[in-house]
Amino acid sequence: MKFLPMRYRESQSKWFGKRGLNWHVSVGSYHTSDTDDLKMQTIIHVFDNASQDARTSNAVLRNTLQQFQQMNPSLKKAYIRSDNAGCFHGFLAVSEIALINEEENIKVVQMDFADPQGGKSICDRRAAHIKSAIRKYVNEGHDVCTAADFKKALQICSLRNVAVVVALPPESCNKKEIKSQINNITTLNNFAYQQTGIRVFRQYGIGEGKFLTNSSLKLQLLSCSNITVVEAFAGHLSSIPSRTARQGVIVQECRNEASNIAVDQSDVDIEEEIDDIGSNLFTCSEPNCLSTFSKYGNLVRHLDVGSHRIKPMVSSLIDKSKIQYASKIEQKLVVLPSCCHETTERENSCKLCEGWGLKQRRTEKFSKGERTGHKCDPEEVSLEMRSAKSSLGKRFFSKDEFLSATQIASYFSRLVLEKRKTACNSYDEEDMEAGIAAETLEELQVLARN
């Protein structure tokens, strides 16, 4: 990420055009070999100037594994979770991890990427705490403008389980860059590392995945990158007791249904009983999680571990019916109603001539005006419509068909326009002869040119 320099007293001219510091946040959770307590360590790498690429991120990862090896020499495997940034979710970033496994004691077994827009979860929470500590340090009258100032601020604040490394970025590689050899790598979210290659999955635990050999990835053309450590500081380490039984505390055993692997109780955070929900102030932000806590620190540890107590969903009868109806529609099991046809004789008897549904034009008055030359008055026509009857004594027009004088006038004008259009489109014999002569002349001109 980028950290903007902060000053205690800063003029407006120094506010604009800042050059941010590059800092990488890595959070590791592991168990101690002697007490089997859960420890969570945050390691921050700060650079005054570094490019955000796969080579730098892999160098940070390698140094992080080395530091965890020094903290706990019994560690042998590492499972990594990252976001979908380009410096992490790319061909070089994924492939160079196989080279790191050959040189380091801690082997990266699997690397998983979060869902899109899922963020860094625990790393974001640790970064928020660190930023708050630095703001407090600046408010006391200090400046944080360089990587050394960043490390000094966290050292004075004495944050627990936080280590800071001020380093120089890796040197630029002179070798020719290799183009991506993994097709559609952005759709692959899980990478399992083996001795002979990498097995990739789109979704964890679904299918056998696709195996990519080291020769197909051309790992011999790659090289591991290292950072140069300038200064380092390791804060106080504190552990989370995972097997301690206290009054008002329960420890649950969680099972991973996707992989059918039982999670040890030491991996589960200590949760407080929820009999009296009103006494607990902090609730878990995970949807449908019932865990509540009286201390903010317990809530943070619960979110870091991720052992949520999900409330079972209870569906009502109408919801169940809707779900079943939708499933039947997807399976195309719904029988659509069909009309029963009667005998063909009745169908033939009910046939109507073409145009029976169209409105018939009442143009008697308009035609009379054209023949005699005396146009009918629209008001008189409107009155006659209300009293016109046939020889059998039935009315020509119903109440719904009565028109006003304005409607009749507009109707007559439309008839006049239609008649003029048809007159313009009609041709006389002389016009036809003139058109044929013009076409013949054009054909002769074309032949003369050729």
Side-chain angles (χ1 to χ4, degrees), residues 12 94 98 106 116 118 132 145 152 182 248 368 392 395 401 427:
Q12 189 175 9
V94 172
I106 299 180
S132 178
C145 300
K152 183 179 179 181
I182 303 178
K368 182 180 178 181
L392 299 177
R395 293 181 178 273
E401 295 177 348
Y427 294 95

Side-chain angles (χ1 to χ4, degrees), residues 64-73 75-76 105-106:
T64 302
L65 295 177
Q66 293 173 358
Q67 294 200 32
F68 278 112
Q69 180 67 26
Q70 295 175 2
M71 297 176 189
N72 190 355
L75 297 178
K76 300 299 180 182
N105 295 328
I106 299 180

